[in-house]
Amino acid sequence: MQKNIYITTPAYYVNDRPHIGHAYTTLACDTLARFWRLNGVCVYLISGTDEHGQKVEQASLKEGVSPQAFTDHMSSYFINLLQEMDIICDDFIRTTEDRHKKAVSALWKCLQKRGYIYLGAYSGWYSVRDEAFYREKDLVDGKAPTGAPVEWVDEPSYFFKLSAFQEPLLAFYKNNPHFIFPQSRYNEVIRFVEGGLQDLSISRSTFSWGIPVPNDEKHIIYVWLDALTNYLSVLGFPDPSASLFQSFWKGAIHVVGKDILRFHAVYWPAFLMAAGLPLPKQIVAHGWWTNEGEKISKSLGNTIDPLELIQHSSRDSLRYFLLREISFGSDGNFSRQSFFYRHNNDLSNSYGNLAQRVLSFLQKNCEGKIPLAGELTPEDENLLDNFKGIISTLEHHMKNYAFHKYAETIWEIIIKANRYIDEQKPWDLKKKDLERMNTVLYVLLEVIRKIAILTQPLVPDASCKILDQLSVSKRTFKDLEIPLTPGTTLPAPFGVFPRLSE
Ligand code: MSP
């Protein structure tokens, strides 16, 4: 059985409103959290906002408001997105909160005390958009490898002795082959570290929006050292006896986009090693979404607003599409056509239709009462056998972040169940063999109950509506074994996935 799990989204920059990329990471985290909770594991899920640094300061100046007022306003969009998407977060942390500032200062002091910080001067390239330092040889046509503009920075700076961690990091990766997911990213990080690590500038002194360096307020702490610490501060660090820290830190899974893997898989473990703290369990990197084949960017004006999509469809549709369309780790393309196709084909025609057909037949022909099953035929057994061992299959998919395979596994059963109805023809049985009709209906209701329990992490709203329509209150994976009670009168059914027209 899994131990406690701590799942984190990145702390999102508040320089702009949330878009589909933010929604994606968060939905994946929430899906994992729901799955493990239903499976009896203790989960702590957090999200938050990254509010310091030059990028946010510049955005606030552009708006003509103070950084604090700006971040107060912008972080509310991210909190609102969580509510609109019904993400069940245990905590939400803003890096401008006192509890966080306290944690960052404590981590800094610890690194300094242990001899890993020294004062020097940084001369080199910096990208405000990426909040990252670049070497001359990293630049491509005068820009960061990400395409972001860079500027020359020449200022006094504190450094972290990152170079001391090349060997310890490589040894750690070797001993923990699952530390970075997927494997291709694990290999990429190892190649990067093998290429050599330079000491890292960890303070800035030419602007002021950040957490001051303890005992040297002319400097503010580099926004990445600040932001990464959110994963600790939310658990009560630096209090060594904080119970959340004790219970959850070692089970930490940081879910991030591929663009910020290096910060999480190289810098963060090095900071933690230097501080003498345990490392997280795993860093999981997902790919990037394009919009109708184009890179999503503000300047192209093609960002996708998740709330607008939800308004035109449902939060289940968005969630299902993003998790079903691609394998986690690969890049994906958002196209309106495939979005509507997934909804209408998989959700309305397959899943919704299965529930609707059976429940309305029951309402019309059995006064809405769950019938008593007679003896099962091999066809009935065959259909029900699809659930044998399914939890370990689904667990395997979730451990591999294969949300698409999780969905495929269940949708195969949905397709089989629809075929079973066509073959068993309960409408004919009604005229010829009522006992057999009752058995077929009972088998179908049981199949729908099990499917609805299993689809809760993927399409929580619809699963909940279907379970309500079946009057099922026991909904954890353990409860899969508790069959429906014949004779129960079910409420009037209604469709859970109305078809969408473009
Ligand atoms: N503030 C940092 C994270 C600090 S964590 C200690 C940051 N924030 S961000 O708001 O720019 O990005 C947050 C996440 O959104 C990243 O994981 C990034 O990969 C993801 N995405 C941004 N655009 C994306 C797509 N087009 N597609 C998928 N995810 C993308 O980085």
Side-chain angles (χ1 to χ4, degrees):
M1 190 39 115
Q2 286 278 127
K3 302 217 183 73
N4 290 356
I5 304 185
Y6 171 42
I7 303 171
T8 67
T9 77
Y12 299 113
Y13 285 129
V14 289
N15 61 308
D16 208 350
R17 292 195 192 191
H19 60 65
I20 201 156
H22 304 112
Y24 182 53
T25 321
T26 304
L27 284 174
C29 290
D30 183 63
T31 303
L32 288 170
R34 285 181 194 251
F35 173 83
W36 289 114
R37 284 187 196 119
L38 286 164
N39 213 4
V41 175
C42 207
V43 177
Y44 204 72
L45 170 66
I46 66 133
S47 188
T49 39
D50 182 355
E51 305 189 1
H52 289 130
Q54 218 171 353
K55 167 151 130 165
V56 172
E57 189 185 68
Q58 285 179 359
S60 73
L61 286 173
K62 220 169 122 199
E63 292 295 313
V65 287
S66 72
Q68 188 61 60
F70 179 74
T71 54
D72 287 346
H73 176 69
M74 294 305 289
S75 64
S76 69
Y77 288 110
F78 288 85
I79 294 169
N80 182 47
L81 179 66
L82 294 182
Q83 279 159 359
E84 294 295 326
M85 297 198 305
D86 192 26
I87 304 299
I88 310 174
C89 268
D90 293 290
D91 205 343
F92 184 90
I93 180 133
R94 298 181 51 195
T95 57
T96 47
E97 285 176 58
D98 280 345
R99 58 174 173 160
H100 176 72
K101 292 180 189 165
K102 213 169 90 188
V104 175
S105 303
L107 183 63
W108 179 284
K109 284 184 196 151
C110 171
L111 295 175
Q112 198 164 38
K113 196 164 142 211
R114 292 167 68 101
Y116 290 106
I117 292 181
Y118 63 91
L119 184 60
Y122 178 77
S123 306
W125 297 102
Y126 190 77
S127 158
V128 176
R129 192 167 96 191
D130 298 347
E131 294 286 20
F133 300 93
Y134 288 108
R135 292 169 302 184
E136 182 79 35
K137 64 176 185 186
D138 295 329
L139 302 188
V140 183
D141 298 331
K143 289 191 169 171
T146 56
V150 288
E151 61 190 36
W152 186 256
V153 167
D154 202 343
E155 62 188 32
S157 170
Y158 284 93
F159 284 83
F160 170 71
K161 287 188 187 165
L162 183 62
S163 54
F165 290 91
Q166 181 174 3
E167 291 313 319
L169 281 171
L170 288 171
F172 178 79
Y173 302 143
K174 195 165 160 243
N175 294 333
N176 296 275
H178 302 295
F179 180 61
I180 299 162
F181 179 92
Q183 182 77 36
S184 54
R185 299 278 171 213
Y186 170 81
N187 298 336
E188 189 183 293
V189 167
I190 290 183
R191 277 197 304 275
F192 172 77
V193 175
E194 279 172 348
L197 293 177
Q198 285 184 321
D199 289 351
L200 180 72
S201 164
I202 49 163
S203 78
R204 300 289 315 271
S205 48
T206 46
F207 66 97
S208 59
W209 181 236
I211 301 174
V213 165
N215 306 318
D216 191 353
E217 305 227 331
K218 290 190 296 301
H219 291 256
I220 59 152
I221 297 175
Y222 175 40
V223 66
W224 270 100
L225 174 54
D226 167 344
L228 287 160
T229 309
N230 90 89
Y231 301 134
L232 294 177
S233 43
V234 78
L235 295 184
F237 176 86
D239 176 359
S241 62
S243 63
L244 285 173
F245 183 78
Q246 295 303 335
S247 313
F248 287 101
W249 173 243
K250 285 190 187 158
I253 298 176
H254 299 316
V255 182
V256 299
K258 61 180 182 181
D259 53 316
I260 56 172
L261 178 61
R262 187 176 299 177
F263 300 94
H264 284 81
V266 181
Y267 302 165
W268 183 227
F271 295 151
L272 291 166
M273 280 179 181
L277 289 166
L279 267 50
K281 193 169 143 207
Q282 200 176 36
I283 315 292
V284 180
H286 65 70
W288 266 47
W289 285 91
T290 50
N291 183 1
E292 309 287 352
E294 276 193 334
K295 189 174 177 222
I296 298 178
S297 89
K298 217 171 123 186
S299 51
L300 285 174
N302 66 349
T303 52
I304 303 168
D305 178 358
L307 293 183
E308 194 197 303
L309 270 179
I310 290 176
Q311 253 168 26
H312 287 101
S313 54
S314 68
R315 45 193 188 202
D316 279 353
S317 323
L318 175 66
R319 201 175 168 110
Y320 180 78
F321 174 81
L322 292 177
L323 298 173
R324 172 70 184 81
E325 187 70 2
I326 56 165
S327 76
F328 206 66
S330 312
D331 291 336
N333 179 40
F334 179 88
S335 88
R336 293 215 168 232
Q337 201 187 359
S338 30
F339 181 76
F340 284 102
Y341 174 80
R342 282 276 171 220
H343 176 97
N344 287 335
N345 187 65
D346 298 14
L347 299 181
S348 298
N349 293 358
S350 295
Y351 189 13
N353 193 32
L354 171 67
Q356 180 72 3
R357 284 168 100 176
V358 174
L359 289 166
S360 49
F361 186 90
L362 192 84
Q363 202 62 227
K364 279 197 204 109
N365 301 292
C366 310
E367 296 163 341
K369 275 204 179 76
I370 298 179
L372 190 64
E375 209 170 313
L376 299 186
T377 64
E379 289 78 15
D380 306 339
E381 304 273 15
N382 267 346
L383 186 61
L384 291 167
D385 279 354
N386 283 293
F387 295 98
K388 277 197 183 147
I390 195 161
I391 292 297
S392 54
T393 308
L394 295 178
E395 237 179 53
H396 174 77
H397 293 329
M398 279 300 183
K399 282 184 183 161
N400 288 292
Y401 308 97
F403 303 104
H404 66 302
K405 288 198 180 152
Y406 186 103
E408 269 166 31
T409 305
I410 300 175
W411 258 257
E412 271 169 24
I413 310 179
I414 293 177
I415 290 166
K416 285 182 190 166
N418 272 319
R419 204 180 301 139
Y420 170 89
I421 306 183
D422 297 340
E423 288 163 2
Q424 298 298 320
K425 300 187 177 54
W427 48 91
D428 280 356
L429 292 170
K430 180 161 194 263
K431 293 171 230 150
K432 320 194 280 229
D433 187 347
L434 272 184
E435 190 187 327
R436 179 68 198 141
M437 178 193 83
N438 285 340
T439 308
V440 167
L441 283 178
Y442 187 82
V443 168
L444 282 166
L445 289 167
E446 264 298 279
V447 166
I448 296 170
R449 178 183 71 85
K450 290 187 187 209
I451 288 173
I453 287 179
L454 298 171
T455 52
Q456 290 176 98
L458 276 184
V459 282
D461 287 343
S463 311
C464 175
K465 286 179 195 155
I466 294 173
L467 290 167
D468 286 348
Q469 293 185 52
L470 290 171
S471 293
V472 169
S473 57
K474 301 239 179 260
R475 300 178 176 189
T476 71
F477 291 168
K478 228 173 56 217
D479 302 325
L480 281 171
E481 301 314 318
I482 305 177
L484 291 162
T485 313
T488 312
T489 305
L490 301 185
F494 60 92
V496 293
F497 292 116
R499 280 181 66 84
L500 293 177
S501 54
E502 272 197 61

